[in-house]
């Protein structure tokens, strides 16, 4: 397939349904694992037949499919990996995501028509490594999650324009370098680098004194104990303009173990944000017609403005204002303590000051700058979407040196303020409009729900009284049996498989 001339939203999928959901909700590409040699074994993953069907489904809708082959194979797995790649090349998938250099060279030999993407597991942190992988045949590098925006720019400025940079933008983070960890191996015998991580970094820990067995002392003064290595989730939705301006060409959502609802909501959110970016930067009009080719705003060494001190870093200069959620940077009021006033919850949770000493640059070497541009404005409903899926405390990862991710050591559970109550099976215009659903949780008259719609804001709807029917067409007072078919009034047409969600009566700390 032809390479894209606009930023890519890359969504996860743990099975065929997740793949189709991602495509339906706007994903430009989907990454997923097979039954072997992927870094996630918890999801069901896809069979070779699933890859064939999924690739057809994606290609018919202009999307692509990437397969994770990013385990670090042992000696006795090398030939099995060779056979597996040989099988994948005939399924219609578009690219392989690899981390081992031997697997990469093997893939070039066995499946020369597939693109090669270098996994974050390879730990690419500089332009020399990126260029070396390019010379070996890679057409994309997935940067280590430890990179800040300046590092992304410096890599972008010094690599070929046709080498894609893929960056994580949303989802769980790992305490280990680029996700390469032996913690699970030591404590449980489950190999984190073969997709079997037990996530001991999320466990609760206390101290036991040798001569007092059975007496547990919390490491922090909380009755729950302490979660020593529990990193926050990433959420870059409000800042994707900074990342795209800095040279990222693919925005990666983490979550192959997540539900179809999570995939739909987050894919839709980031795709909508990218569309807004393309319009406000002048690359497309409101109808999606291309006005000019997409290009980042990084100043490269060949540019006459490279290294000029008058080119200020507007992104980092305005970071405090952006994190305070203020649309007008200049109008942000400053308190006596020097902090922007009225910080939002998420801004407070992400304002982390760096301890790093002042950087010393070699003589004649300059950081790549970025040409200033107005901040891309996103609607409030869109910025609220990440809070409508289960999540840990949010941060912006390591992208902003002054706002680094930290651990949430008092808990490891997820916030959940919204609940999926049903999924759309069909819609009919009869009787003024009726929707047939598969129930997930209770729905009753007067309840306020939202239908998650692809490419649009969610449809808010208050359930009317007296309109519920069961699968046989009998009137019922409420929908209160999970995994059963019901119908109810809905005057506006809604798409098949759309999730229906509702606020929980009391926000919980549970997994999705």
């Amino acid at each position: 397939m032809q390479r894209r001339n606009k930023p890519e939203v890359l969504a996860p999928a743990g099975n065929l349904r997740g793949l189709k959901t991602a495509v339906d909700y706007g994903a430009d590409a989907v990454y997923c694992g097979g039954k072997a040699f992927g870094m996630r074994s918890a999801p069901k993953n896809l069979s070779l037949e699933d890859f064939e069907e999924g690739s057809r489904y994606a290609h018919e809708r202009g999307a692509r499919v990437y397969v994770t082959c990013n385990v670090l194979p042992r000696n006795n797995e090398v030939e099995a990996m060779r056979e597996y790649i040989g099988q994948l090349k005939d399924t219609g998938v578009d690219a392989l995501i690899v981390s081992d250099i031997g697997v990469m060279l093997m893939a070039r030999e066995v499946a020369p028509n597939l693109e090669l993407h270098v996994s974050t597991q390879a730990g690419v942190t500089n332009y020399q490594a990126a260029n070396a992988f390019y010379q070996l045949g890679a057409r994309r590098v997935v940067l280590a999650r430890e990179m800040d925006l300046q590092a992304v720019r410096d890599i972008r400025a010094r690599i070929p324009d046709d080498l894609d940079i893929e960056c994580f933008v949303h989802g769980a983070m790992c305490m280990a370098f680029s996700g390469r960890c032996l913690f699970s191996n030591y404590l449980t015998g489950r190999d984190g680098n073969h997709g079997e991580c037990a996530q001991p970094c999320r466990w609760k820990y206390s101290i036991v004194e040798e001569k007092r067995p059975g007496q547990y002392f919390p490491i922090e003064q909380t009755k729950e104990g302490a979660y020593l290595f529990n990193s926050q989730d990433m959420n870059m939705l409000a800042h994707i303009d900074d990342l795209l301006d800095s040279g990222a060409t693919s925005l990666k959502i983490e979550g192959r173990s997540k539900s179809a609802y999570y995939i739909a909501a987050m894919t839709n959110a980031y795709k909508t944000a990218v569309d807004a970016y393309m319009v406000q930067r002048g690359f497309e009009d409101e109808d999606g017609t291309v006005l000019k080719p997409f290009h980042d705003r990084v100043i490269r060494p060949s540019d006459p403005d490279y290294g000029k001190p008058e080119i200020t870093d507007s992104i980092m200069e305005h970071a405090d204002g952006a994190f305070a959620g203020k649309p007008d940077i200049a109008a942000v009021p400053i308190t006596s303590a020097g902090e922007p006033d009225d910080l939002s919850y998420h801004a407070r949770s992400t304002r982390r000051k760096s301890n790093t000493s002042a950087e010393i640059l070699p003589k004649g070497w300059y950081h790549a700058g970025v040409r200033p541009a107005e901040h891309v404005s996103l609607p409030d409903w869109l910025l609220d979407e990440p809070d409508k899926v289960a999540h840990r405390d949010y941060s912006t990862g390591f992208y902003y040196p002054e706002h680094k991710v930290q651990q949430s050591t008092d808990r490891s559970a997820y916030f959940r303020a919204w609940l999926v109550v049903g999924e759309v099976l069909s819609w009919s215009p009869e009787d003024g409009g009726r929707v047939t659903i598969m129930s997930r949780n209770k729905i009753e008259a007067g309840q306020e729900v939202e239908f998650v719609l692809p490419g649009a804001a969610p449809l808010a709807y208050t359930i009317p009284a007296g309109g519920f029917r069961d699968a046989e067409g009998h009137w019922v007072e409420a929908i209160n049996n999970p995994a059963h078919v019901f119908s109810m009034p809905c005057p506006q047409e809604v798409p098949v498989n759309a999730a229906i969600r509702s606020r929980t009566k009391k926000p919980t700390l549970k997994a999705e």
Side-chain angles (χ1 to χ4, degrees):
M1 297 182 67
Q2 290 186 345
R3 303 182 66 81
R4 294 185 173 276
N5 60 358
K6 64 182 294 184
E8 175 187 86
V9 173
L10 178 57
N15 51 41
L16 183 58
R17 183 193 175 195
L19 186 157
K20 292 182 177 181
T21 297
V23 172
D24 290 344
Y25 278 83
D28 299 301
V30 184
Y31 69 100
C32 37
K35 299 295 184 181
F37 302 116
M39 283 296 296
R40 294 291 183 274
S41 62
K44 293 181 179 179
N45 293 322
L46 284 75
S47 65
L48 294 174
E49 293 75 19
D50 289 337
F51 281 126
E52 290 180 358
E53 182 178 345
S55 296
R56 285 195 301 269
Y57 191 88
H59 293 167
E60 289 168 358
R61 292 158 180 80
R64 305 207 294 172
V65 176
Y66 310 148
V67 182
T68 58
C69 294
N70 55 344
V71 301
L72 304 177
R74 303 183 182 96
N75 288 313
N76 61 347
E77 295 173 317
V78 170
E79 290 309 313
M81 175 70 86
R82 180 185 299 275
E83 181 181 357
Y84 180 57
I85 291 175
Q87 294 169 337
L88 285 173
K89 71 180 177 62
D90 297 321
T91 62
V93 300
D94 300 280
L96 301 179
I97 304 171
V98 301
S99 57
D100 182 88
I101 192 169
V103 173
M104 183 176 179
L105 296 178
M106 176 196 295
R108 284 187 61 185
E109 175 189 343
V110 176
N113 293 328
L114 295 184
E115 278 191 13
L116 294 177
H117 299 175
V118 178
S119 169
T120 186
Q121 292 277 307
V124 175
T125 60
N126 61 76
Y127 64 88
Q128 178 172 269
N131 282 322
F133 280 119
Y134 181 76
Q135 292 171 8
L136 291 173
R139 287 300 171 261
R140 175 175 300 190
V141 287
V142 187
L143 298 188
R145 280 178 257 196
E146 297 81 32
M147 298 292 90
D148 60 24
L149 283 178
Q150 185 60 66
V152 177
R153 296 177 205 160
D154 288 337
I155 291 173
R156 177 78 278 169
R158 295 169 174 84
I159 64 175
D161 283 346
D162 64 340
L163 177 58
D164 288 347
I165 289 180
E166 183 179 304
C167 294
F168 282 90
V169 292
H170 200 92
M173 298 189 69
C174 181
M175 295 295 292
F177 173 74
S178 297
R180 297 178 68 163
C181 181
L182 290 176
F183 200 7
S184 178
N185 300 53
Y186 275 111
L187 296 185
T188 69
R190 291 168 55 178
D191 191 343
N193 288 318
H194 272 69
E196 300 172 349
C197 184
Q199 292 196 328
C201 54
R202 310 292 188 193
W203 296 355
K204 179 174 68 177
Y205 294 88
S206 298
I207 294 174
V208 177
E209 199 275 326
E210 181 181 8
K211 295 182 179 180
R212 305 181 195 180
Q215 295 188 36
Y216 298 92
F217 301 91
I219 295 173
E220 288 194 355
Q221 293 186 6
T222 66
K223 62 182 180 180
E224 294 85 5
Y227 298 85
L228 290 183
F229 313 103
N230 186 37
S231 60
Q232 297 168 335
D233 282 359
M234 182 186 290
N235 175 13
M236 280 290 288
L237 184 63
H239 308 278
I240 64 160
D241 53 346
D242 290 353
L243 195 50
L244 293 174
D245 287 348
S246 296
T249 44
S250 178
L251 306 179
K252 186 171 195 171
I253 302 167
E254 187 276 338
R256 281 192 283 142
S257 298
K258 297 291 190 180
S259 66
Y261 162 66
Y262 179 99
I263 294 170
M266 291 302 93
T267 301
N268 190 56
Y270 279 90
K271 181 61 174 178
T272 302
V274 167
D275 288 345
Y277 172 92
M278 295 296 286
V279 171
Q280 293 180 43
R281 285 284 185 269
F283 298 116
E284 295 180 351
D285 62 18
E286 293 286 352
D287 297 324
T289 302
V290 176
L291 302 177
K292 61 181 180 180
F294 164 73
H295 200 274
D296 58 71
R297 307 184 71 82
V298 176
I299 301 174
R300 290 156 170 77
S302 59
D303 193 299
D305 290 331
Y306 179 77
K308 287 187 177 180
E310 61 267 24
I311 303 296
T312 59
D313 187 345
S314 60
I315 291 176
M316 300 314 296
E317 278 189 346
H318 295 161
D320 281 353
F323 274 79
K326 303 294 184 181
D328 183 359
I329 301 295
V332 178
I334 304 298
T335 66
S336 58
E339 297 282 345
D341 196 14
D342 192 28
L343 292 179
S344 68
Y345 164 74
H346 294 307
R348 290 183 188 280
S349 72
T350 54
R351 289 185 59 77
R352 313 295 188 188
K353 293 300 179 183
S354 170
N355 302 335
T356 306
S357 59
E359 183 182 31
I360 300 176
L361 298 178
K363 185 177 180 180
W365 197 94
Y366 300 97
H367 279 309
V370 60
R371 297 190 186 282
E374 293 294 322
H375 178 60
V376 171
S377 177
L378 301 177
D380 288 341
W381 74 263
L382 185 56
L383 295 174
D384 289 341
E385 283 296 288
D387 291 325
K388 295 181 179 182
V389 298
H391 63 91
R392 298 183 180 93
D393 289 305
Y394 279 133
S395 76
T396 51
F398 293 91
Y399 287 120
Y400 299 91
E402 297 299 312
H403 304 270
K404 285 184 178 178
V405 63
Q406 287 195 348
Q407 309 101 291
S408 296
T409 56
D410 60 336
R411 61 187 175 274
S412 69
Y414 289 78
F415 295 107
R416 187 172 65 177
W418 288 74
L419 193 68
V420 177
V421 295
E423 297 166 359
V424 174
L425 299 178
S426 64
W427 181 88
S428 171
E430 64 182 46
D431 298 331
R434 290 191 69 82
V435 60
T436 301
I437 71 168
M438 177 63 71
S439 64
R440 290 274 298 273
N441 285 283
K442 187 174 182 178
I443 304 177
E444 54 191 348
Q447 187 172 341
E448 295 182 355
V449 301
E450 290 184 351
F451 292 87
V452 182
L453 306 179
L459 170 64
Y461 183 58
T462 302
I463 306 297
F468 298 118
R469 295 177 185 169
D470 63 19
E472 286 72 40
H474 301 138
W475 295 99
V476 292
E477 185 175 345
I479 296 175
N480 52 17
N481 291 323
H484 283 67
V485 175
F486 293 89
S487 69
M488 63 184 185
C490 180
Q492 181 169 328
E493 183 175 1
V494 288
V496 173
N497 294 328
I500 310 168
R501 65 191 178 197
S502 180
R503 286 186 182 274
T504 58
K505 294 182 178 179
K506 185 178 180 180
T508 59
L509 288 173
K510 294 181 180 179
E512 188 174 22

